[in-house]
Amino acid sequence: MAIYSEETADYIWRNGKIIPWKDATIHVNAVGHASVAGIFEGIKAYWNEDESQLYIFRLEEHIERFIQSIKMVRYGFGYTKEQIKSAIVELLRANRYRRNVYIRPYIFQKGIVRELLQAQPDKPTEVVIDSWPFDSYRDPDKGLHVCVSSWRRISDNIMPPRLKCFSNYHNGRLAAMEAAVSGYDWPVLLDDRGKVTEGPGACLAIVRDGKVITPEITNGILESITRDTIKHIFEELLKIPFVERTIDRTELYIADEIFFLGTGWEIMPVLSVDRLSVGDGKTGSISKKITGAYREVVTGKSKNWPEWRTAVWD
Ligand SMILES: Cc1ncc(COP(=O)(O)O)c(C=O)c1O
């Protein structure tokens, strides 16, 4: 599955300045510590052709989560939320984007390669905001065929999934590789009690008897902003019950519908789990409804929740 855009931006933001993307270099020896505790965010901006406007979706909440994760790794952070939000708007303007974009703020401490464990809260950090043209990982009409991974999801007392830390993605990567070599598109991870958590890079919801069910935020998942978005859409717009509770593995096999949800994945239907069809093996009606409603909200075609959209162009 080709999921990463090879396209690069003209400009990148680094430590307070917008500079040419190709000039944002670093010594090779600096990567030792970088991703052990490095923190990042994944944000999307959507182009609205009718309004000639680019909307950043839920910028406030993403930066809030970025700052919370930075606090937990005890990095110093010399910026306010407002400064980072403005930096992102300025960067998208500098790159003259008039299309859908993925935005990735990240922070790390440079460490020589032999220095992996030293926690030095006072050490300077590199703060970077990258961006690149991005539509979707995959056409939602194709759906995904998934397996339950034999790898367990990291947990709050081992490696907290609540932190959006680069290292956490080693767990997801192991599961994604296992799924791929076994002929599946993507995995679902269980926690150490065998309960459903999420996929690498996206949360998960199932539909049973007309209700949408998703694991609680204390069930070993990232506190997903898309999860919060669809909770509002289901409850307030679509009038479909949204339940947060523990999900058993076997509920995946008997669910009427299943979908992944996340900033990058948006809403991605799951058509089979461990080669058992989900429902009739086609995208279900609730998955279709939320896919459409989510797109209307993120692009600003729906005027609901204007506070979720930050306009880039005047
Ligand atoms: C592990 C993981 N879970 C869930 C999500 C979904 O979170 P969000 O909706 O905030 O993008 C992501 C995506 O960023 C993720 O990486």
Side-chain angles (χ1 to χ4, degrees), residues 43-76:
I43 309 170
K44 266 193 87 173
Y46 289 86
W47 177 244
N48 181 318
E49 185 68 46
D50 299 336
E51 296 177 26
S52 280
Q53 185 55 273
L54 182 64
Y55 286 116
I56 310 172
F57 192 60
R58 302 202 71 175
L59 179 58
E60 172 81 17
E61 292 82 355
H62 280 284
I63 302 309
E64 180 80 43
R65 187 172 67 184
F66 187 51
I67 291 171
Q68 287 172 355
S69 288
I70 291 169
K71 179 181 181 192
M72 288 189 271
V73 294
R74 297 175 191 266
Y75 279 170

Side-chain angles (χ1 to χ4, degrees), residues 62-96:
H62 280 284
I63 302 309
E64 180 80 43
R65 187 172 67 184
F66 187 51
I67 291 171
Q68 287 172 355
S69 288
I70 291 169
K71 179 181 181 192
M72 288 189 271
V73 294
R74 297 175 191 266
Y75 279 170
F77 190 59
Y79 302 93
T80 63
K81 202 197 299 179
E82 290 311 315
Q83 283 172 320
I84 298 296
K85 283 166 59 183
S86 306
I88 289 176
V89 171
E90 288 308 313
L91 180 70
L92 299 195
R93 286 184 183 159
N95 281 302
R96 299 183 302 277

Side-chain angles (χ1 to χ4, degrees), residues 62 65 153 164 169 198 201-203 222 224-226 261-263:
H62 280 284
R65 187 172 67 184
R153 183 76 180 127
K164 212 163 158 56
Y169 288 76
E198 58 184 348
C203 283
L222 180 71
S224 153
I225 291 158
T226 315
L261 53 120
T263 299

Side-chain angles (χ1 to χ4, degrees), residues 10-65:
D10 292 336
Y11 294 98
I12 192 165
W13 186 97
R14 182 180 185 182
N15 300 327
K17 289 197 193 79
I18 291 177
I19 58 171
W21 195 90
K22 60 180 177 30
D23 295 346
T25 54
I26 200 163
H27 192 275
V28 66
N29 221 357
V31 300
H33 189 275
S35 58
V36 174
I39 296 294
F40 73 104
E41 260 309 318
I43 309 170
K44 266 193 87 173
Y46 289 86
W47 177 244
N48 181 318
E49 185 68 46
D50 299 336
E51 296 177 26
S52 280
Q53 185 55 273
L54 182 64
Y55 286 116
I56 310 172
F57 192 60
R58 302 202 71 175
L59 179 58
E60 172 81 17
E61 292 82 355
H62 280 284
I63 302 309
E64 180 80 43
R65 187 172 67 184

